[in-house]
Amino acid sequence: MSDLETVIGLEVHAQLKTESKIFCACSTRFGDEPNTNTCPICTGMPGVLPVLNKRALEFAVKMALALDCRVNSRSIFARKNYFYPDLPKGYQMSQYESPLAEHGHITVMVRDVSRDIGITRIHMEEDAGKSIHSPSEGVSYVDLNRTGVPLLEIVSEPDMRSPQEASAYLKALRGILRYLEISDGNMEEGSFRCDANISLRRAGQSQLGTRTEIKNLNSFRHVEKALEYEIFRHSGLLQDKEAVIQETRLYDPDRAITVSMRGKEEAHDYRYFPDPDLVPVLVEEDWILRLKQELPELPTARFNRFIREYGLPAEDAQVLTSERELADFFEQCAGQYAHPKKISNWVMTEFLRELHQAGCSIRDAAIRPEHLSALVRMVDEQVISSRIAKNIFPEIFARGVDPAKLVREKELVQISDSGALEEMVDEVIRAYPEEAQKYRQGRKKLMSFFVGQVMKMSRGQANPGLVNQIFKDRLG
Ligand code: ADP
Ligand code: MG
Ligand code: ZN
């Protein structure tokens, strides 16, 4: 049914990259021995008092500012009561009625169309522990290292109209978190999680349809797939004049479907109430202004500047500004050799390929921006052919060696000496008389074959432009 409109709103949980937990001094380090990063506070012993981590608050305020939110000068932590073995206190401390920030928005691009998505609220809360089920032993283990790790919850307005918009929104949020260096934003590792709410309604109708909520989606692909499945399921129900039931569902990636987890009747009643152990969170205007001034240039602004300042196509600007480190690397290269599009071509292909293969971060890579810009310059100045440049690039990348030095070491300087090139051209013409004949008769496509032979003979060192010219002179 084409007259149905999809409505999506997302709740995102991002783990904040603080050294210590949100209400105690325990380390937030990932991967340590289970239950080693715990203390009486995060394990919920009686009589202890939590204290809010100022760094967590600072990160939360930065995100709120980056999303154009109004930061409330006073917000409150509440207790969200429920029982689960990985929640030792029997409640989670979270902001409920009075969140840290509200009324923001973010612009996302979906296939060249820019869309404005409202941010309802941003609040802080603590993470729960981790249950590890071992069916073979018939037991479950609980690891409390994650208990009390600071989370930011970001709730959107129901402003998205397609699964693609939802995933573009998530990527944009993650981009900002990473630019701000306040979260890893890693969905697979669980430091960036998403619950997706979706409903359908007749086009033109202002009232929202009944929604379902899909919990714990852990990849962008799963978000899109799960939402696509829900659109299919909802529209089938609506077409058959059956009701959509408001419920929580889970996505099963193996079957690419969602299944019911719990209905409205089983929905928790969390009995929220203000936490009596924590004072209200007061945020001063001066501090907000200072944090605002400290914000780095954010992905959208940088994207626009890359197009404006470097004259790059949108696709290049998109890729290059997707990560702050990558954008920095590009700008350092372009600063040393002012041919941004040429630099961009190298960064987006050879550089990113090596980086992915090495599986390391830009910071940890041996190559420096000056190496890449020097290489691009050497190709432009015809010191080496682009073939050779590509051949030696993996070594430059891995060793971080100056390309001029490597070219000297390996004696790879491009042959532009016409005498030497003419000799090679003549040799090729002698070796392929029939092809030469055909070329003269009009098979101009054979040119690339001839040039290829000389390139092979010269082990890639011949200047292909000159070789081409000499062939033309010789073969008429
Ligand atoms: P909770 O899920 O905790 O009850 P809310 O009711 O505030 O929280 O909604 C959570 C998310 O669901 C928000 O992102 C909101 O935009 C979205 N949402 C609410 N109603 C609908 C709806 N009918 N269709 C699609 N999304 C919705
Ligand atoms: Mg919800
Ligand atoms: Zn602790």
Side-chain angles (χ1 to χ4, degrees):
M1 281 197 291
S2 54
D3 61 336
L4 287 178
E5 181 184 49
T6 300
V7 174
I8 298 168
L10 302 178
E11 294 162 87
V12 165
H13 287 95
Q15 236 176 52
L16 294 176
K17 267 200 317 195
T18 51
E19 298 274 318
S20 58
K21 294 186 179 180
I22 185 167
F23 298 121
C24 64
C26 291
S27 167
T28 55
R29 209 168 30 243
F30 182 79
D32 280 357
E33 263 310 285
N35 298 309
T36 51
N37 298 327
T38 57
C39 74
I41 293 174
C42 56
T43 54
M45 294 297 142
V48 297
L49 283 178
V51 177
L52 179 62
N53 179 337
K54 183 162 185 195
R55 185 44 69 84
L57 179 62
E58 176 189 319
F59 285 1
V61 171
K62 280 187 172 168
M63 189 60 181
L65 294 172
L67 294 177
D68 271 334
C69 286
R70 192 188 75 205
V71 179
N72 293 323
S73 56
R74 188 171 188 274
S75 60
I76 309 274
F77 274 96
R79 291 186 181 182
K80 179 178 179 179
N81 299 282
Y82 66 94
F83 172 79
Y84 203 74
D86 65 18
L87 190 74
K89 293 198 294 286
Y91 58 84
Q92 178 194 28
M93 294 202 282
S94 174
Q95 297 189 303
Y96 183 58
E97 271 173 8
S98 312
L100 177 74
E102 294 166 280
H103 312 302
H105 64 94
I106 179 174
T107 306
V108 302
M109 297 281 294
V110 186
R111 277 189 235 96
D112 295 344
V113 182
S114 95
R115 296 263 299 128
D116 195 57
I117 312 291
I119 303 292
T120 314
R121 53 186 273 145
I122 297 183
H123 70 248
M124 287 176 288
E125 59 186 35
E126 59 177 340
D127 209 346
K130 203 168 113 189
S131 302
I132 303 144
H133 304 293
S134 173
S136 61
E137 294 168 276
V139 297
S140 289
Y141 298 97
V142 177
D143 177 5
L144 297 179
N145 281 354
R146 206 179 62 188
T147 310
V149 165
L151 297 179
L152 209 58
E153 177 166 340
I154 304 162
V155 181
S156 85
E157 289 292 303
D159 283 349
M160 285 153 270
R161 295 290 173 264
S162 69
Q164 292 69 38
E165 271 180 38
S167 105
Y169 165 82
L170 288 174
K171 286 178 184 159
L173 271 194
R174 189 184 68 152
I176 296 175
L177 288 165
R178 291 172 62 91
Y179 262 59
L180 295 174
E181 296 175 328
I182 61 175
S183 173
D184 292 334
N186 192 323
M187 271 194 123
E188 282 76 11
E189 286 175 11
S191 56
F192 186 76
R193 300 168 233 159
C194 168
D195 301 338
N197 295 268
I198 178 166
S199 63
L200 266 51
R201 66 179 170 191
R202 303 231 161 261
Q205 178 184 317
S206 60
Q207 202 186 343
L208 293 175
T210 306
R211 69 168 155 143
T212 51
E213 178 176 25
I214 319 158
K215 280 246 177 250
N216 296 330
L217 293 158
N218 60 4
S219 80
F220 294 112
R221 209 179 134 67
H222 289 178
V223 172
E224 285 195 38
K225 289 278 165 205
L227 287 170
E228 271 161 22
Y229 179 79
E230 281 298 279
I231 293 172
F232 160 77
R233 200 178 64 84
H234 284 213
S235 58
L237 288 170
L238 297 174
Q239 208 153 22
D240 297 344
K241 307 244 180 301
E242 282 180 52
V244 172
I245 300 167
Q246 183 173 341
E247 61 182 353
T248 303
R249 299 178 71 88
L250 288 175
Y251 180 62
D252 176 351
D254 296 328
R255 293 189 287 166
I257 62 169
T258 64
V259 290
S260 180
M261 180 176 137
R262 60 168 182 254
K264 206 178 181 179
E265 306 75 45
E266 306 147 71
H268 293 127
D269 177 358
Y270 295 115
R271 311 256 162 175
Y272 283 96
F273 65 87
D275 190 302
D277 289 343
L278 279 165
V279 292
V281 182
L282 302 181
V283 182
E284 284 174 3
E285 200 57 37
D286 288 358
W287 193 47
I288 296 178
L289 285 176
R290 212 174 66 233
L291 292 178
K292 200 171 204 160
Q293 280 160 6
E294 281 172 27
L295 288 185
E297 186 183 28
L298 294 170
T300 305
R302 205 164 193 189
F303 167 81
N304 289 327
R305 182 169 63 79
F306 271 32
I307 293 176
R308 202 177 58 236
E309 189 175 316
Y310 297 112
L312 292 176
E315 307 83 75
D316 292 43
Q318 180 69 49
V319 173
L320 294 174
T321 59
S322 62
E323 296 286 342
R324 191 172 165 182
E325 273 201 312
L326 183 63
D328 289 345
F329 187 87
F330 165 81
E331 290 210 277
Q332 283 156 10
C333 293
Q336 276 148 11
Y337 187 58
H339 292 265
K341 179 56 183 155
K342 285 177 183 163
I343 298 275
S344 164
N345 290 345
W346 272 86
V347 171
M348 297 217 309
T349 54
E350 312 300 318
F351 177 74
L352 282 183
R353 182 185 312 133
E354 290 303 319
L355 194 68
H356 289 149
Q357 256 167 31
C360 68
S361 67
I362 295 177
R363 198 168 308 159
D364 296 335
I367 187 170
R368 295 290 89 224
E370 53 269 28
H371 300 144
L372 192 138
S373 47
L375 189 68
V376 177
R377 184 198 294 270
M378 285 168 79
V379 174
D380 267 1
E381 291 175 353
Q382 304 200 353
V383 178
I384 54 172
S385 69
S386 71
R387 180 73 263 146
I388 295 244
K390 283 177 186 169
N391 287 346
I392 61 172
F393 186 72
E395 192 170 344
I396 295 171
F397 181 90
R399 286 175 48 200
V401 57
D402 170 21
K405 184 163 163 262
L406 193 67
V407 163
R408 249 180 281 120
E409 264 172 35
K410 293 185 178 275
E411 299 179 346
L412 291 172
V413 173
Q414 178 158 272
I415 305 169
S416 296
D417 164 43
S418 48
L421 293 179
E422 277 163 12
E423 259 173 47
M424 285 189 259
V425 166
D426 289 338
E427 200 178 323
V428 168
I429 292 172
R430 272 199 304 278
Y432 297 97
E434 282 173 30
E435 282 77 4
Q437 186 62 21
K438 282 183 192 149
Y439 180 90
R440 287 195 180 95
Q441 288 163 356
R443 288 272 307 270
K444 300 295 178 203
K445 273 198 216 143
L446 281 165
M447 180 55 87
S448 58
F449 166 78
F450 291 131
V451 176
Q453 292 306 311
V454 173
M455 294 313 287
K456 213 153 105 189
M457 196 180 282
S458 66
R459 299 206 328 278
Q461 280 171 260
N463 177 331
L466 287 179
V467 171
N468 193 298
Q469 196 49 55
I470 298 171
F471 270 114
K472 277 191 182 143
D473 294 344
R474 290 285 200 275
L475 297 173

